[in-house]
């Protein structure tokens, strides 16, 4: 099932409630929340207090993408603030198995993220304990970057492995998902589509979300 996860990174931070509602009205069903620490990625965004405030203004699942070092230290706080999904980067987690269990132990869906330069194969031992795998299709840190086409074969590979091993994690994709890339993303196996700039960059978030989702669903139907 295809779902759209508007990323608030490109939204107006002074009007988050309104912008989330607008994207939801266009079919967004998950709110993607980018957490950046200025160390793992060269940008700073937000932390648990903002998640707590978002929790009050939407019933949609809050998908917290932690682009931070030492995520174990903060997972309990994000969960307490109202996160529903928490993903961590493989690149930041020397004890990835423990970290993913920590997320689940706090009642959240657990996701693992890989950067463009990280191969799918490093996830082999954790694919049975994740609810979703997030394939980065840009180098994380900023919105509105150009989609990296090499990420497509990683989605295909994940879908193949999932079938071969009878697993049921979902495949999320993040970065440069827009009208010109979304069709090939869903054909490659992308199911949860994160989109920041394409939804909030310009124009009306409701119609942007609606058109993006429609384009994605149509491409799935054409999938051979
Ligand atoms: C990038 C973030 C993304 C970002 C995507 O580091 O993880 O979630 O918001 O933005 P767009 O859709 O503009 O590429
Ligand atoms: Zn993200």
């Amino acid at each position: 099932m295809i779902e759209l996860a508007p990323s608030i990174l490109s939204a107006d931070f002074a009007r988050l409630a309104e912008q989330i509602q607008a994207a939801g009205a266009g079919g967004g069903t998950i709110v993607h929340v980018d957490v950046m620490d200025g160390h793992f990625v060269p940008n700073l965004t937000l932390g648990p207090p903002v998640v707590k405030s978002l929790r009050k203004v939407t019933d949609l699942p809050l998908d917290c993408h932690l682009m931070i070092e030492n995520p174990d230290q903060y997972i309990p706080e994000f969960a307490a603030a109202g996160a529903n999904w928490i993903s961590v980067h493989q690149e930041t987690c020397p004890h990835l198995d423990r970290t993913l269990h920590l997320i689940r132990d706090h009642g959240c869906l657990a996701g693992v993220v890989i950067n463009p330069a990280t191969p799918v194969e490093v996830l082999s031992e954790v694919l049975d304990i994740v609810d979703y795998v997030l394939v980065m299709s840009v180098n994380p840190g900023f919105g509105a970057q150009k989609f990296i086409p090499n990420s497509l074969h990683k989605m295909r590979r994940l879908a193949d492995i999932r079938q071969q091993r009878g697993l049921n994690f979902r495949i999320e994709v993040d970065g440069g998902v827009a009208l010109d890339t979304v069709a090939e993303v869903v054909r490659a196996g992308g199911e949860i589509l994160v989109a920041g700039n394409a939804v909030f960059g310009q124009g009306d978030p409701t119609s942007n979300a609606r058109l993006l989702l429609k384009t994605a669903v149509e491409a799935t139907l054409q999938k051979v």
Side-chain angles (χ1 to χ4, degrees), residues 12 105 118 127 163:
D12 179 346
D105 288 347
T118 303
L127 288 177
Q163 193 182 22

Side-chain angles (χ1 to χ4, degrees), residues 7 9 32 34 36 65 67 136 140-144 174-176 194-197:
S7 164
L9 185 64
H32 186 81
D34 287 307
M36 304 186 186
H65 172 192
M67 288 162 273
M136 288 307 302
F142 303 95
D174 185 3
V194 177
N197 187 54

Side-chain angles (χ1 to χ4, degrees), residues 120-224:
V120 161
E121 281 64 30
V122 299
L123 301 181
S124 151
E125 304 306 322
V126 295
L127 288 177
D128 58 342
I129 56 162
V130 294
D131 297 291
Y132 59 107
V133 176
L134 200 182
V135 175
M136 288 307 302
S137 40
V138 297
N139 289 294
F142 303 95
Q145 301 184 77
K146 199 174 169 328
F147 182 82
I148 297 174
N150 260 356
S151 57
L152 293 169
H153 80 82
K154 293 163 73 172
M155 294 172 222
R156 282 189 213 104
R157 177 98 185 93
L158 280 164
D160 286 347
I161 295 172
R162 179 174 60 186
Q163 193 182 22
Q164 282 161 15
R165 291 178 51 184
L167 299 173
N168 46 31
F169 58 83
R170 298 177 74 192
I171 301 172
E172 182 173 25
V173 57
D174 185 3
V177 175
L179 287 176
D180 59 340
T181 54
V182 74
E184 49 186 354
V185 164
V186 297
R187 285 193 205 110
E191 297 159 327
I192 299 160
L193 310 169
V194 177
N197 187 54
V199 172
F200 297 111
Q202 44 192 297
D204 169 37
T206 303
S207 39
N208 290 342
R210 189 175 290 134
L211 182 59
L212 189 60
L213 194 55
K214 180 172 175 276
T215 309
V217 170
E218 282 172 5
T220 328
L221 298 174
Q222 288 158 12
K223 198 169 155 185
V224 279

Side-chain angles (χ1 to χ4, degrees), residues 80-135:
N84 304 94
W85 302 19
I86 296 180
S87 62
V88 292
H89 273 256
Q90 183 274 339
E91 300 87 358
T92 63
C93 294
H95 308 292
L96 184 56
D97 176 275
R98 178 191 290 156
T99 304
L100 293 167
H101 281 295
L102 182 67
I103 296 172
R104 285 186 159 182
D105 288 347
H106 282 81
C108 296
L109 296 188
V112 64
V113 193
I114 46 172
N115 275 338
T118 303
V120 161
E121 281 64 30
V122 299
L123 301 181
S124 151
E125 304 306 322
V126 295
L127 288 177
D128 58 342
I129 56 162
V130 294
D131 297 291
Y132 59 107
V133 176
L134 200 182
V135 175

